[in-house]
Amino acid sequence: MNSGFLNIVLHAHLPYVHHPEHDSFFEENWLFEAITECYLPLIGVLERLQKDRVDYRLTLSISPTLITMLRDELLQKRYLRHLDRLVELAEKEVVRTRNQPQYQKLARLYRRFFAHTRHRYEAVYQCDLLAALKSHHVAGKLELITTAATHGFLPLLNISETAVRNQINIGIETFKTHFGFAPSGFWLPECGYYPGLEHVLKDAGINYFFVDSHGITDAVEKPLNGVYAPLDCGNGVAAFGRDPYSSRQVWSAEEGYPGDGDYREFYSDIGFELGLDAIAPYILKGDTRTFTGIKYHRITPEHQPKAIYQPKQALAKAEQHARDFIHRRQQQIDTLSADMDRPPVIVAPYDAELFGHWWFEGPHWLESVLRMANADTNGVQTISCSDYLKHQPAPQVARPAASSWGEQGYSSYWINETNDWVYPLIHKAGSEMEKLVMDLRGLAVSDLQKRALNQAVRSVLLAQASDWPFILKSGTTVDYAKKRITDHLARFNYLHDCIRKNRIDERYLSALEIMDDIFPTIDFRDYSPSVS
């Protein structure tokens, strides 16, 4: 019997950004950067592990909004155009740095990287990354799960069970539509849990979910094994808790691996360092500086000249950090297993976008961890939650405590002085949607009315996304976040009034269906408090 297990969970999510009404849209770059730097490198990791017959296990939660965007033909075409521009920019950098050998070496690296990325995306995967991911799930190595429809922060939507239920059910239905099977596990957006949520998950067919450490340690009944074994919430649904130590080693700004001085500096980008004459065609509107992905420097202490990035040195450091990570997990397991009635499982969840985007060497670190863990048959072995539940004794019964993995551990990052104005508006829209559905119960509904009602539900769901309150608090693209909230609410209010007055403008409705082209199987009748 193994002495202990490691369960690495990656959560891949981006908000729904889809603007066919514009020829290009800056925030679509969020998706394009993530494909280039995170999702394609992750698939590359899985393929190399498969080729070398490494018996790893990894869990990937992929959000319904990201699923939809990855399958969107318009965004796929725009991503290819984005890659063409990057290849062109890298070509120019090779020429510009011809008298700077160290910089030109990196420019050539980026040119190869972008050209190889384009070839893989179009020629190897036919622009379909979901199919590539599914193949690794089918092989039994990658466990694919999902999250709420638009990543709504469920503890703050909980004034209406209808809102929570639809976020969960529509998320699962979207996953099933694209992957062809139902997920066993569920990622609670921001790990946001409140007591009773497990019943909605049970009704949706979910077997397990994740909470932050204090969700387990503060449970109603004291957890006998701390965060190192799941709890049965009392209805057969299991809650797995985040290990604080493995999280801190990767996430912490002070002691985490990504802050090491050998790694590539994210913020040192030619989009902010070159003159506008050189970079104008590749930044926003030719005059607003943005990240290009071409970065020449490694992390350097403040007030010192930027040190040039050394890729081989950085990859060697990633392998060193992987060995350290595995060594520390082994030490944990050795200590824990002496006092537990079952092998401990160390749950290490991370945002997928950390690996490659924020931490350029992250995919190499992850691959090294998976290789090293599963090479040591007497110690750490990776496992999925499904397999752990299948092969271990029944979990202790105890309900977790309300919690999230956000700052201060609860809901304060998503409701505070920067964003509290959002919730009365989205709660009102949800309530009006429920009333509308109830009032139409038993009445004949025309095809046009059905389209409008379904689109109204889409507008409510999109307004409920946790991303916009998060951005309002973090202070990044605040204007865009405000506009997304107000636009979706305005669209809902327009549709609601048109439906109530039976004056639906089909042309305008069609425009809304094109702009918010998501959740094609949605049925407005489900947005009803009477549905169980």
Side-chain angles (χ1 to χ4, degrees):
M1 184 177 72
N2 287 92
S3 57
F5 297 98
L6 172 64
N7 176 217
I8 297 178
V9 184
L10 303 183
H11 175 52
H13 164 66
L14 290 173
Y16 187 66
V17 177
H18 182 246
H19 293 280
E21 70 274 23
H22 297 283
D23 180 57
S24 63
F25 204 83
F26 171 69
E27 280 76 11
E28 289 175 351
N29 284 352
W30 297 346
L31 174 66
F32 302 156
E33 290 171 358
I35 294 174
T36 303
E37 298 170 345
C38 306
Y39 309 144
L40 276 169
L42 174 61
I43 292 171
V45 167
L46 302 183
E47 288 177 344
R48 288 188 293 274
L49 294 173
Q50 181 183 49
K51 180 182 177 183
D52 294 342
R53 299 185 178 181
V54 177
D55 189 23
Y56 75 93
R57 296 294 184 276
L58 179 70
T59 300
L60 176 66
S61 161
I62 184 165
S63 72
T65 49
L66 178 56
I67 287 171
T68 302
M69 291 189 293
L70 288 174
R71 276 271 165 84
D72 186 89
E73 291 185 7
L74 175 64
L75 290 174
Q76 290 173 349
K77 290 177 182 177
R78 289 184 176 181
Y79 177 56
L80 289 172
R81 182 177 67 184
H82 172 79
L83 287 175
D84 287 338
R85 287 165 55 82
L86 289 180
V87 172
E88 179 182 291
L89 176 58
E91 290 276 9
K92 290 184 176 180
E93 279 298 284
V94 170
V95 174
R96 186 187 68 82
T97 58
R98 59 188 176 276
N99 296 322
Q100 301 170 289
Q102 287 184 299
Y103 285 89
Q104 191 185 59
K105 184 178 180 180
L106 289 171
R108 291 178 182 275
L109 181 150
Y110 286 117
R111 181 176 63 180
R112 290 193 303 273
F113 176 65
F114 295 141
H116 182 61
T117 296
R118 196 192 192 289
H119 170 76
R120 288 177 64 213
Y121 183 73
E122 185 175 36
V124 178
Y125 304 121
Q126 289 77 51
C127 306
D128 188 357
L129 301 190
L130 299 185
L133 290 169
K134 182 180 176 180
S135 69
H136 295 283
H137 175 91
V138 171
K141 308 301 183 186
L142 178 70
E143 176 147 24
L144 289 171
I145 63 173
T146 196
T147 186
T150 60
H151 213 256
F153 187 66
L154 303 180
L156 294 178
L157 297 180
N158 187 33
I159 68 162
S160 165
E161 185 184 306
T162 303
V164 172
R165 180 169 26 81
N166 274 267
Q167 278 281 342
I168 291 172
N169 289 348
I170 293 170
I172 293 170
E173 183 60 34
T174 302
F175 180 94
K176 289 166 61 177
T177 297
H178 288 274
F179 285 109
F181 62 91
S184 179
F186 195 86
W187 180 272
L188 300 179
E190 317 298 353
C191 289
Y193 169 80
Y194 62 87
L197 182 54
E198 64 274 7
H199 297 299
V200 187
L201 295 171
K202 176 74 170 180
D203 291 344
I206 294 299
N207 295 325
Y208 69 86
F209 62 95
F210 301 94
V211 293
D212 202 14
S213 311
H214 58 293
I216 299 292
T217 56
D218 295 342
V220 174
E221 299 287 338
K222 182 179 178 180
L224 301 177
N225 296 307
V227 299
Y228 301 107
L231 296 179
D232 181 331
C233 296
N235 64 345
V237 178
F240 286 80
R242 177 164 74 152
D243 169 44
Y245 302 104
S246 57
S247 296
R248 190 158 56 242
Q249 277 184 267
V250 175
W251 278 121
S252 171
E254 292 76 29
E255 57 186 286
Y257 300 134
D260 187 273
D262 282 330
Y263 291 140
R264 192 182 76 161
E265 168 61 70
F266 173 82
Y267 294 100
S268 178
D269 188 287
I270 65 170
F272 295 88
E273 295 167 346
L274 296 187
L276 280 178
D277 56 336
I279 205 70
Y282 307 97
I283 59 176
L284 182 60
K285 298 179 181 178
D287 59 5
T288 302
R289 293 185 176 276
T290 59
F291 293 106
T292 66
I294 297 180
K295 307 169 195 291
Y296 292 132
H297 300 110
R298 57 189 174 91
I299 296 171
T300 311
E302 282 190 76
H303 312 302
Q304 292 186 21
K306 287 290 184 183
I308 196 161
Y309 179 56
Q310 304 289 343
K312 289 183 180 178
Q313 193 170 309
L315 294 180
K317 182 57 68 71
E319 291 179 15
Q320 179 183 326
H321 282 154
R323 282 192 294 273
D324 179 69
F325 185 83
I326 291 298
H327 175 67
R328 296 199 195 191
R329 300 293 75 74
Q330 183 61 70
Q331 288 180 319
Q332 275 185 280
I333 287 171
D334 289 345
T335 301
L336 292 165
S337 58
D339 298 318
M340 290 180 60
D341 62 349
R342 67 200 67 208
V345 57
I346 297 173
V347 177
Y350 309 106
D351 281 337
E353 292 74 26
L354 168 67
F355 296 88
H357 180 62
W358 300 104
W359 183 15
F360 191 58
E361 301 78 11
H364 188 72
W365 176 89
L366 177 65
E367 181 176 345
S368 299
V369 165
L370 293 173
R371 287 180 183 275
M372 293 174 188
N374 294 287
D376 183 3
T377 56
N378 296 315
V380 181
Q381 181 179 344
T382 55
I383 197 170
S384 69
C385 289
S386 293
D387 284 346
Y388 187 87
L389 291 171
K390 189 184 303 180
H391 298 298
Q392 299 304 321
Q396 176 188 354
V397 176
R399 176 181 278 182
S403 52
S404 86
W405 76 350
E407 188 177 73
Q408 300 182 33
Y410 298 97
S411 300
S412 62
Y413 208 90
W414 293 273
I415 184 164
N416 50 70
E417 68 280 359
T418 69
N419 54 31
D420 55 4
W421 59 271
V422 171
Y423 296 96
L425 299 176
I426 61 174
H427 292 330
K428 182 175 185 295
S431 176
E432 291 294 333
M433 190 71 235
E434 288 186 47
K435 291 176 186 175
L436 189 55
V437 173
M438 292 295 290
D439 289 347
L440 291 171
R441 175 173 290 181
L443 300 179
V445 177
S446 70
D447 288 343
L448 184 62
Q449 288 172 319
K450 181 178 179 181
R451 285 171 54 195
L453 286 157
N454 288 342
Q455 197 62 33
V457 176
R458 292 187 185 100
S459 296
V460 171
L461 288 166
L462 289 165
Q464 291 171 345
S466 68
D467 308 276
W468 313 129
F470 182 93
I471 290 173
L472 293 177
K473 170 62 175 172
S474 65
T476 50
T477 54
V478 169
D479 290 342
Y480 181 67
K482 286 181 179 177
K483 182 170 174 53
R484 290 303 302 274
I485 296 167
T486 54
D487 279 357
H488 290 309
L489 289 170
R491 291 169 191 176
F492 168 76
N493 290 331
Y494 170 82
L495 290 166
H496 175 267
D497 290 348
C498 288
I499 294 163
R500 286 288 187 190
K501 296 173 182 176
N502 199 24
R503 296 177 183 173
I504 300 170
D505 183 333
E506 184 173 9
R507 184 176 177 182
Y508 188 69
L509 172 60
S510 296
L512 293 181
E513 289 172 326
I514 292 170
M515 287 189 287
D516 296 336
D517 183 16
I518 193 170
F519 311 136
T521 62
I522 205 167
D523 186 341
F524 73 91
R525 295 177 184 85
D526 292 335
Y527 213 93
S528 165
S530 64
V531 176
S532 59

